[in-house]
Amino acid sequence: MSDDTAHAKRDERPEESRRVRLGRIFDEDAELYDRARPGYPPELYDDLVELAGACPGSRVREVGCGTGRATVPLAGRGRQITAVEAGAHMTAVAAAVEVVTADFENWPLPEEPFDAVVSATVFHWIDPAVRTAKAADAPRPGGALAVVPSRHVMGGTEEFFVEVQRCYERWDPDSPPGLRPPAAAGIDGSDHAEEVAQSGRFGPTVFRRYEQDLTYGTSDYLELLRTCSGHRALPEAARDGLMACIAGLIDGWYGGRVTKRYLIEPAVSPRR
């Protein structure tokens, strides 16, 4: 039921009303989001240097920085980060770097272009009619657009993610039966690559991928779920019932700990 949990395939192109509604919901509890959401593997930043030219001293525009899960590590590696983030509460938490509170769709681009544009786990929430064209206007020729999705994939405590679907089917009437996390090998970035190619503004997209397993105690896992848009959008009684069901499953059958596998697949497109 979450935006990245218990779905067989993540919806990278949410329909318009859902996209707008759920895209705003992350700002409701920015402190929880910052505490519970995982960061990114160090290899990601090495690849951004190699593929996107995000070298020390380079000017990077981050689209949708959230609370700075990717922003702060980039800034710590000597990049000059300017981020744009729609959520005012998120912006306050990410105050360690320069952040503009605005929708990327409506934010006026500065005259001076950036060396790279980075968007981590947010690009699919931006209006698809605007995102690629506007992202192409931000970097200089020879710069790059780097989009970094993060997905829940098969692995970790696999049996738990089979069993937990019963909780979703009970408490969320919109949850289709039998959904499973996808295998990492079955995921590709062809939709994104095609969208970027159709703009005519970028060269061929280069992909890298990493898998990482993160283990959560029961309370930590519930905190993580409470940052997911689909869970937050449930009516309170259904959300509480779902959380209690999941907690009972983890504590009763999995010793109070479960491991979730993430696929991080940065896609870097050079600006023509």
Side-chain angles (χ1 to χ4, degrees):
M1 165 60 218
S2 78
D3 56 0
D4 68 350
T5 302
H7 278 286
K9 182 178 181 181
R10 182 185 177 120
D11 180 4
E12 293 289 354
R13 297 173 182 269
E15 60 91 13
E16 183 65 15
S17 61
R18 177 176 178 271
R19 179 187 65 79
V20 173
R21 178 172 60 90
L22 296 186
R24 297 293 190 191
I25 210 165
F26 301 104
D27 197 47
E28 291 179 349
D29 194 339
E31 288 78 11
L32 174 63
Y33 187 97
D34 188 59
R35 182 171 67 248
R37 284 289 178 118
Y40 298 93
E43 298 93 328
L44 168 66
Y45 306 104
D46 296 334
D47 281 346
L48 290 179
V49 171
E50 176 187 347
L51 300 176
C55 302
S58 61
R59 298 177 67 250
V60 176
R61 162 62 65 186
E62 185 177 11
V63 177
C65 69
T67 61
R69 305 302 289 162
T71 323
V72 173
L74 273 173
R77 287 167 169 78
R79 284 68 175 174
Q80 300 178 42
I81 311 292
T82 303
V84 57
E85 166 58 49
H89 296 103
M90 293 279 196
T91 300
V93 175
V97 297
E98 180 185 353
V99 184
V100 177
T101 304
D103 292 314
F104 180 67
E105 294 92 330
N106 301 317
W107 175 69
L109 290 171
E111 292 186 7
E112 185 178 359
F114 291 84
D115 297 304
V117 174
V118 176
S119 184
T121 321
V122 76
F123 202 68
H124 63 288
W125 291 114
I126 301 172
D127 185 349
V130 174
R131 60 192 179 199
T132 302
K134 190 160 188 177
D137 289 335
R140 59 174 174 77
L145 167 66
V147 174
V148 186
S150 177
R151 300 178 176 92
H152 174 206
V153 296
M154 185 184 301
T157 313
E158 290 191 20
E159 187 62 27
F160 165 74
F161 291 105
V162 173
E163 294 294 327
V164 78
Q165 188 60 25
R166 298 178 185 176
C167 296
Y168 286 95
E169 291 172 17
R170 176 181 178 185
W171 292 103
D172 174 22
D174 294 327
S175 183
L179 291 179
R180 301 289 183 266
I187 292 177
D188 63 45
S190 57
D191 287 351
H192 173 73
E194 181 179 350
E195 177 183 328
V196 170
Q198 287 178 347
S199 74
R201 307 284 302 279
F202 295 96
T205 298
V206 177
F207 292 92
R208 295 286 171 84
R209 54 170 45 198
Y210 334 99
E211 295 179 28
Q212 64 177 1
D213 288 352
L214 297 180
T215 299
Y216 298 91
T218 303
S219 61
D220 291 334
Y221 189 68
L222 296 185
E223 282 205 336
L224 175 69
L225 296 184
R226 291 188 180 100
T227 71
C228 296
S229 59
H231 293 81
R232 297 193 68 87
L234 284 172
E236 183 177 0
R239 185 171 61 249
D240 290 347
L242 175 62
M243 294 296 175
C245 183
I246 293 172
L249 181 62
I250 297 174
D251 287 337
W253 294 95
Y254 293 93
R257 299 178 72 79
V258 292
T259 298
K260 179 175 179 177
R261 178 166 296 172
Y262 294 86
L263 172 67
I264 298 93
E265 189 180 37
V268 180
S269 309
R271 168 78 159 81
R272 287 176 173 167

